[in-house]
Amino acid sequence: MGGRRVRARFVLGAALVTVPLLIALLGPWLAGPAGPRGVSFTPGQGHGLGTDFTGRDVGRQVLLGGRSVVLAALGATALTHAVAVPVGLAAALTRWGLLEDLLLRPLDVLIAVPSLVLVLICAAVLSPGPAGLSVLVALVAVPDAARTVHAAAVEVAARPAVEAMRMYGESWVRIALGHTARVLRRTLAADAGTRLVGALYLVSTAAFLGVGVQPDASDWAVMVDRNRPGLDLQPLAVVLPAVLIAALATGTNLLLDAALQRGRKGVRR
């Protein structure tokens, strides 16, 4: 029964993730040129799904709006771990308490600040677009991710294997990345999935608030915000992008859960 549940979770997660990823990847090539604007909330007159509240073709905006969300979320997740993993490992493996404090205490201060406040502050100095949005979200996520890595690595750092590697003069890179990070790979994978979902949330929230993106950008979150006033007239302009964002986040979690459960069974065997 457990194996069937894992397979079902994997299949459902793959199905949920595939649709928004394909739209994000192929959408800009399938969207075609922009036609003349006009208000037609019902399908027809050259608009397969009708137009949104601002007169833009809903289908075309859905095809164009996924790439920025996906790229920003993936970029933010990769950047978060690129910074948080070395910082967390360095704080856990160092024998100098002062260095650990220097690495972790500033992160504690940032964790105490609400994430949306940090987003608004950082947006004031970063340029709009997926790259700037990725940096912005990563800056918010790094403190908590580094703390998670540190907490998991402290226990590994106290094991005899690490002490033996130090006695034999192994380099820090070998101890940290070659051994400790490898031992923590399941923890890091689980954290990466959590960070990706969190990044999707923050990217969508920031875009919804008009932070880090142009007000007229072709973006799923911007579509939701821009079309709220006309929700009763054209619900597809709000529902479709919202469902795609939710499918991507939910599918990612399901795939990660299935992968971790399979890995756990492999370890038991």
Side-chain angles (χ1 to χ4, degrees):
M1 288 295 292
R4 291 180 181 176
R5 238 185 342 257
V6 171
R7 285 193 295 271
R9 191 169 295 179
F10 179 84
V11 171
L12 178 58
L16 288 174
V17 166
T18 298
V19 174
L21 285 184
L22 283 177
I23 292 176
L25 180 65
L26 303 177
W29 283 282
L30 299 175
R37 290 198 184 188
V39 178
S40 176
F41 297 130
T42 57
Q45 301 179 11
H47 305 290
L49 297 177
T51 64
D52 63 14
F53 194 64
T54 63
R56 295 185 178 188
D57 185 275
V58 171
R60 186 172 186 275
Q61 289 303 298
V62 169
L63 291 174
L64 292 174
R67 180 166 295 184
S68 58
V69 173
V70 172
L71 286 180
L74 290 176
T77 303
L79 187 57
T80 296
H81 266 220
V83 176
V85 171
V87 170
L89 292 177
L93 294 170
T94 184
R95 291 180 170 179
W96 300 335
L98 179 59
L99 177 58
E100 185 176 12
D101 287 337
L102 288 175
L103 289 172
L104 296 181
R105 295 296 82 78
L107 301 181
D108 293 341
V109 174
L110 292 175
I111 289 175
V113 181
S115 57
L116 285 180
V117 174
L118 286 177
V119 167
L120 294 173
I121 294 173
C122 296
V125 295
L126 293 173
S127 59
L133 202 52
S134 295
V135 174
L136 188 154
V137 173
L139 288 173
V140 174
V142 161
D144 186 58
R147 267 296 188 179
T148 300
V149 175
H150 171 264
V154 163
E155 188 271 333
V156 179
R159 294 179 182 178
V162 173
E163 291 299 323
M165 294 180 75
R166 284 172 171 160
M167 290 177 61
Y168 279 101
E170 295 285 359
S171 67
W172 183 89
V173 173
R174 173 79 173 165
I175 295 172
L177 302 181
H179 175 71
T180 308
R182 183 170 57 83
V183 173
L184 296 177
R185 62 186 181 276
R186 287 170 52 80
T187 301
L188 296 178
D191 184 74
T194 302
R195 300 300 159 198
L196 179 58
V197 174
L200 281 169
Y201 163 75
L202 273 178
V203 166
S204 301
T205 302
F208 181 80
L209 296 174
V211 177
V213 295
Q214 299 291 350
D216 60 343
S218 295
D219 181 280
W220 287 340
V222 174
M223 283 185 68
V224 175
D225 176 54
R226 187 172 54 212
N227 290 288
R228 282 183 304 151
L231 179 61
D232 55 335
L233 297 173
Q234 176 52 289
L236 289 178
V238 176
V239 172
L240 281 179
V243 167
L244 288 169
I245 293 172
L248 185 58
T250 304
T252 299
N253 268 337
L254 288 173
L255 285 176
L256 183 64
D257 288 345
L260 291 176
Q261 288 183 15
R262 285 184 177 181
R264 191 178 300 120
K265 289 182 180 179
V267 171
R268 289 175 181 173
R269 292 175 185 173

